[in-house]
Amino acid sequence: MFSNTGIAVHYNSCSRCGHIWTACLDDWTARDFQDRIYNESYVLADPPFTYDRPARNSAMIDAMVGNFRRDLEILDWGGGDGLMARMLIERGFQNVISCDPFYGDTPRFPDGTFDLVTCFEVVEHVPDQRGLFAELARHTAADGAILLSTLLQPPDIGELRLGWWYARPRNGHIRLHSAKSLELCLSREGLRLKSLSGEMHVAYRDPESPLVEALLSAKVHAPSLPPARSLAEYS
């Protein structure tokens, strides 16, 4: 699919928390990422990015917290062109905005806090993990939550190593979390973590918040790469 660039990307692993990362892209600018990863060929590396993932996740959010749709304020952080936000609005959610630092020439960054901050398939792309989680926490209301997806390392990661399909620098996957490393990153921001699956996670402060209770009790789809489907199948 892609020609060999001849560029070696070396990954490291933390012996304490298991986090796997590469520092090879740490000095890249946002423009570097746009030009070299999130360009017109990116859809070949991540086909669900264009609409399958936004459709799937908007349907999941509706099932999880649809009872709050009228008053819930949602920020979709890393939402590309904002398709998922538009899908949620079509489902009756009244207050949804999207922002993405790697998408477009003049990305907009919101002020204030939100009841729900979503962050789907973003964590593994960001070099500055502490900065990312601080930003997400800053935008999350005290009784709100972060709903994020990133695939956790499988139990046999020690055998798979970089043979794990998720370890793909062309996809921009440069930070690969274990359950422990993800929990540590969120705890630095005063957030608790509950993983609903090996891919979908909730971070929160107040376990008695009705929104948090709804999220923590929700069922989510199994970790997978969904096949391309029509939007009608998600309605």
Side-chain angles (χ1 to χ4, degrees), residues 212-229:
V212 171
E213 289 179 344
L215 290 167
L216 296 184
S217 63
K219 302 294 184 182
V220 298
H221 48 70
S224 64
L225 287 179
R229 301 174 184 172

Side-chain angles (χ1 to χ4, degrees), residues 45-220:
D46 185 15
F49 169 77
T50 53
Y51 91 25
D52 190 73
R53 186 178 299 126
R56 192 183 196 203
N57 287 335
S58 63
M60 179 187 67
I61 291 170
D62 195 10
M64 296 172 88
V65 296
N67 290 341
F68 301 88
R69 65 169 59 87
R70 171 171 287 183
D71 300 316
L72 200 66
E73 295 188 350
I74 301 176
L75 169 63
D76 184 27
W77 204 99
D81 67 353
L83 177 58
M84 192 192 80
R86 296 193 298 274
M87 289 177 172
L88 286 173
I89 291 171
E90 290 173 357
R91 288 176 174 272
F93 288 82
Q94 303 294 309
N95 306 291
V96 189
I97 65 172
S98 178
C99 72
D100 194 320
F102 295 132
Y103 193 91
D105 294 327
T106 56
R108 297 184 300 109
F109 294 93
D111 296 320
T113 59
F114 296 80
D115 303 306
L116 180 63
V117 176
T118 59
C119 186
F120 295 127
E121 295 302 300
V122 172
V123 170
E124 63 275 9
H125 294 259
V126 180
D128 182 6
Q129 293 283 285
R130 293 189 68 174
L132 169 65
F133 288 113
E135 179 77 2
L136 296 177
R138 182 174 70 85
H139 286 302
T140 305
D143 59 350
I146 303 169
L147 180 62
L148 64 96
S149 70
T150 189
L151 195 59
L152 298 179
Q153 298 166 20
D156 59 348
I157 188 65
E159 299 174 13
L160 291 174
R161 299 170 67 85
L162 294 182
W164 184 32
W165 68 268
Y166 205 61
R168 293 291 182 266
R170 180 58 186 87
N171 286 30
H173 290 189
I174 56 178
R175 296 291 188 272
L176 309 172
H177 277 284
S178 67
K180 183 176 182 179
S181 66
L182 184 60
E183 183 176 18
L184 285 171
C185 284
L186 289 162
S187 67
R188 286 181 178 273
E189 306 304 326
L191 295 164
R192 304 184 190 188
L193 172 68
K194 179 179 178 180
S195 293
L196 304 180
S197 71
E199 180 182 45
M200 198 66 60
H201 319 279
V202 180
Y204 61 96
R205 300 183 182 94
D206 181 4
E208 297 183 358
S209 160
L211 174 65
V212 171
E213 289 179 344
L215 290 167
L216 296 184
S217 63
K219 302 294 184 182
V220 298

